[in-house]
Amino acid sequence: MTVSNVVNGRPGVAESTRLLVDASIRHLGYKPNLSARRLAKGRTGMLTLSIPEVEIPYFAEISSAMLRAALERSMDILINQSDWDRDRELDLIHGSMSLLTDGILLYPSTLTQSDLNGARPGVPLVLFGGSEVFTNVDHVVIDNVAAAQEATEHLVSLGHRRIALIGPHLEPNSRKPNGRLAGYARALEVARIKRSQELLVNVPTYHRVDGYRAMQQLFELPQPPTAVFCLSDLLAVGALHAAYDRGVAVPGELSIMGFDDVEESRYSNPALTTIKPDKLAIARHALDLISGPGEGSEQNGPRTVITNHELVIRASTAAPGRTAAH
Amino acid sequence: MTVSNVVNGRPGVAESTRLLVDASIRHLGYKPNLSARRLAKGRTGMLTLSIPEVEIPYFAEISSAMLRAALERSMDILINQSDWDRDRELDLIHGSMSLLTDGILLYPSTLTQSDLNGARPGVPLVLFGGSEVFTNVDHVVIDNVAAAQEATEHLVSLGHRRIALIGPHLEPNSRKPNGRLAGYARALEVARIKRSQELLVNVPTYHRVDGYRAMQQLFELPQPPTAVFCLSDLLAVGALHAAYDRGVAVPGELSIMGFDDVEESRYSNPALTTIKPDKLAIARHALDLISGPGEGSEQNGPRTVITNHELVIRASTAAPGRTAAH
DNA sequence: CTGTTAGCGCTTTCAG
DNA sequence: CTGAAAGCGCTAACAG
């Protein structure tokens, strides 16, 4: 009908008719049925965003950025929580819900490259973040090795020599490449500091409690570190709390450095020195990739976009003072 | 077709046929089109969740709880950020997007009762949280006045007499009822403590920065408070940081109390005493209301469910010591 | 400029 | 147990 034209604000409708239709619409309380529109049109205007956990501030902030970026392009976002579950992530990409949304934005928490080689989803897929960089799919990342190296160098430049590292995937023989670990290693190498296995604390997740426990463990060392680089702000907040509980002064006796620049860390006591990724840029690039060049670009193969990061120096790092040993 | 039956796992299909169909499905890489299914079925299995901001930990935690509760009922959630924008919330309820999802879960950040009296959305609507309790729509709340009263009484029982309050909607002549303010007032009344207007600091939002500024303001008072009750943990974190910056010891010289029991406040230095709402219960009740009794219950009118809360005492509150004045 | 005709991909009837 | 027929509410392509 002509009705469809007026509802969609398309040109080529007489002003009089338009008014008439508008009146009827209001009168009858008509609401368009989006499902039907979608069936007919073939697109939904919705994207699926998959993150491991909304409660982790980094993901909450990234989600918020995605929501904003989507709004800028008048799209909606359906948030899916994968709970770090491999099956949930696999399900999404080979997936059942594919034809509901126009694309999938996924933070690969457990997937590896080879998982992506198999069947492709029915809709565009773009990855963002994660410790590994995928070359077989569109992926928006930061340069994790450079970032971790800068962070470690900052600690080195302050005069630290015993610098611990707290993070997940630090197992000695992990097959999953870990850019941040590599950056840390490189910085030590440049500074001619010998790596010590006891200063590498592997944790199961990025949660505060893991940072707390890891720090406790480091305090028990015969020769505790004078600085700790935590692979997320949340981990750093946990470490900070452990220092607080033990009465160790930060940064006086111990320097702590985070990663992510989540707002929480600007208000911790003391505020955290950290690495700040450009979250809005990540979101915008992800959105551009997903709704961008379209099918035509398949020829050019998967694209990797590297976004900026920045070292933000706040109050939790300083030159080493007295030892952290109690 | 019979195909539909096997896809939906319905009975009444010969085992042989089922196998045949399954094989073809796998072979052809068939994916059901959810939009089509929805058009035909009339329901989408999706709910819209509207919160002001995902980056606010309380909302992130509530979202997570909703996501989990929805998963338990095999539903999906579309998250909408209202950004505290009245128009966005109104739009949602009188709404355009109505027929996309099966229901709307809304945190009323700016709406008032009268906004809900007008046109009803085409789908079930349930409200959760907020400072006002709506009686004309299904609403899941906590008893804000009781909670705030308990919080204040805890401070009183410690021996405090000058207890400040930091929060939004504290204007003297606000028309919007504020349960938490009422609870605070009642506790003081019971303790026969005179209310002082200078101890009420009204802030624009629940963000950390507002707590920070409000606290700075209180420090400038000729006679600063010995305790502060912040109407959100985020505000309390800001206040804590202000105390830290000024070198005021918490809880030695100043007690700080929060509201929400967000994980962040368990790791602040010191950890915050706070009011803990049962977020999962809120989520589950909201989901039950929305997909519950259905149309039949319209006769019984809107339901209000009040969920539990709990006072959690941690390290940020203690008996008053030296004055907080610098 | 307006109205008609198909058909999106599924789920329902209801016959075979 | 299986298949054919109709229609969910919309948009697209065309004809009046």
Side-chain angles (χ1 to χ4, degrees), chain A residues 10-325:
Chain A
R10 270 183 288 240
V13 178
E15 200 49 31
S16 57
T17 326
R18 160 159 284 135
L19 257 40
L20 200 70
V21 175
D22 272 340
S24 301
I25 283 181
R26 212 178 338 275
H27 182 59
L28 299 172
Y30 166 84
K31 312 257 175 68
N33 179 325
L34 296 210
S35 293
R37 194 197 309 249
R38 270 143 203 203
L39 213 213
K41 265 205 148 111
R43 33 191 315 291
T44 66
M46 293 198 310
L47 263 16
T48 302
L49 171 66
S50 169
I51 52 174
E53 284 183 77
V54 226
E55 317 98 300
I56 290 191
Y58 174 73
F59 293 117
E61 294 185 8
I62 271 286
S63 299
S64 182
M66 293 281 187
L67 249 14
R68 272 178 230 288
L71 193 66
E72 292 169 359
R73 295 157 178 75
S74 31
M75 305 201 76
D76 262 323
I77 285 192
L78 187 69
I79 298 187
N80 236 271
Q81 215 168 222
S82 69
D83 282 322
W84 309 93
D85 181 9
R86 192 176 145 72
D87 290 333
R88 299 264 278 285
E89 292 185 353
L90 281 173
D91 196 47
L92 207 59
I93 60 172
H94 300 135
S96 36
M97 79 138 39
S98 313
L99 299 180
L100 208 198
T101 57
D102 296 338
I104 299 174
L105 298 161
L106 173 74
Y107 177 95
S109 71
T110 56
L111 299 180
T112 58
Q113 292 242 21
S114 53
D115 292 320
L116 275 303
N117 285 329
R120 303 299 281 283
V123 294
L125 168 70
V126 359
L127 267 35
F128 63 92
S131 48
E132 182 179 358
V133 14
F134 290 62
T135 54
N136 53 355
V137 205
D138 286 349
H139 195 175
V140 183
V141 289
I142 64 164
D143 186 340
N144 277 302
V145 0
Q149 184 172 350
E150 284 166 40
T152 312
E153 278 168 355
H154 167 245
L155 262 10
V156 168
S157 74
L158 251 19
H160 293 278
R161 312 272 311 164
R162 280 187 73 71
I163 303 172
L165 186 67
I166 298 177
H169 310 306
L170 257 36
E171 305 87 350
N173 305 313
S174 169
R175 275 169 316 160
K176 230 194 164 186
N178 186 329
R180 297 187 188 174
L181 173 56
Y184 163 83
R186 187 178 298 176
L188 294 193
E189 206 173 296
V190 169
R192 302 175 167 285
I193 295 173
K194 209 162 100 255
R195 259 171 77 179
S196 152
Q197 193 59 38
E198 63 179 14
L199 293 181
L200 259 47
V201 188
N202 188 53
V203 290
T205 76
Y206 283 107
H207 288 91
R208 298 174 184 89
V209 65
D210 296 305
Y212 186 85
R213 291 197 191 121
M215 195 65 234
Q216 284 182 317
Q217 191 178 320
L218 286 168
F219 281 138
E220 297 309 326
L221 250 32
Q223 198 188 345
T226 60
V228 189
F229 176 22
C230 298
L231 261 25
S232 84
D233 278 359
L234 232 46
L235 251 16
V237 162
L240 201 55
H241 195 60
Y244 178 88
D245 276 358
R246 198 182 171 98
V248 170
V250 176
E253 300 172 79
L254 175 72
S255 283
I256 295 182
M257 151 122 225
F259 201 114
D260 283 347
D261 187 40
V262 128
E263 196 187 84
E264 172 173 355
S265 64
R266 291 208 273 290
Y267 283 85
S268 63
N269 301 327
L272 287 176
T273 293
T274 192
I275 294 288
K276 170 183 183 165
D278 188 341
K279 304 187 190 80
L280 192 53
I282 293 176
R284 293 215 246 243
H285 276 120
L287 274 278
D288 284 343
L289 285 179
I290 220 158
S291 52
E295 308 299 317
S297 66
E298 296 288 332
Q299 344 156 329
N300 305 321
R303 294 150 292 183
T304 301
V305 2
I306 299 175
T307 52
N308 293 325
H309 63 265
E310 190 185 333
L311 172 67
V312 179
I313 298 174
R314 288 198 278 248
S316 67
T317 51
R322 292 155 283 155
T323 156

Side-chain angles (χ1 to χ4, degrees), chain B residues 1-2 12-14 17 39-40:
Chain B
M1 302 232 213
T2 299
V13 178
T17 326
L39 214 213

